[in-house]
Amino acid sequence: MDRSRSPDQRRWSLQLCVSSGSSTTVSLSPSASVGEVKAAAKKFFQHHFLQVTADGTVLSNVSQSIQDAGLHDGQTLTVVLQIPCLAATAGAFALWCRGGGVLT
């Protein structure tokens, strides 16, 4: 962590990785939200349906700060890309994504 900056200017580096080995590093304030981490992952991996995990736990509260979520500077997070499933009839459809809910 860069201690030469004031607390509100610090930046943490978080590495986002997928199982294929592709990864990126994002720099965020400790007060940044889990949602901001997910948005960075979506932008880099170009995949809308994903989950971000840290130490085997899904980070699901998108409004929680990364610091309050227990993350730390330099941590590596795993991004799980999910394949959505679509079911449809003549009058309705359902889009299901494992761990991500259902749209009807």
Side-chain angles (χ1 to χ4, degrees):
M1 183 168 25
D2 182 358
R3 298 188 191 279
S4 64
R5 296 180 174 189
S6 66
D8 59 339
Q9 294 177 331
R10 293 181 306 198
R11 304 293 280 180
W12 285 3
S13 291
L14 299 174
Q15 185 173 17
L16 306 175
C17 303
V18 292
S19 61
S20 68
S22 182
S23 69
T24 188
T25 300
V26 295
S27 178
L28 297 166
S29 163
S31 63
S33 69
V34 169
E36 291 175 74
V37 175
K38 287 184 79 168
K42 285 178 183 179
K43 183 177 179 179
F44 181 79
F45 296 112
Q46 298 182 350
H47 198 284
H48 182 71
F49 297 98
L50 55 80
Q51 289 183 332
V52 178
T53 65
D55 302 325
T57 302
V58 175
L59 302 175
S60 58
N61 184 350
V62 294
S63 62
Q64 186 176 37
S65 76
I66 59 176
Q67 188 169 27
D68 289 345
L71 304 182
H72 56 82
D73 187 25
Q75 188 164 6
T76 298
L77 306 178
T78 302
V79 176
V80 179
L81 305 179
Q82 299 173 302
I83 306 300
C85 296
L86 180 67
T89 66
F93 78 93
L95 179 65
W96 173 79
C97 192
R98 185 175 156 196
V102 176
L103 297 172
T104 58

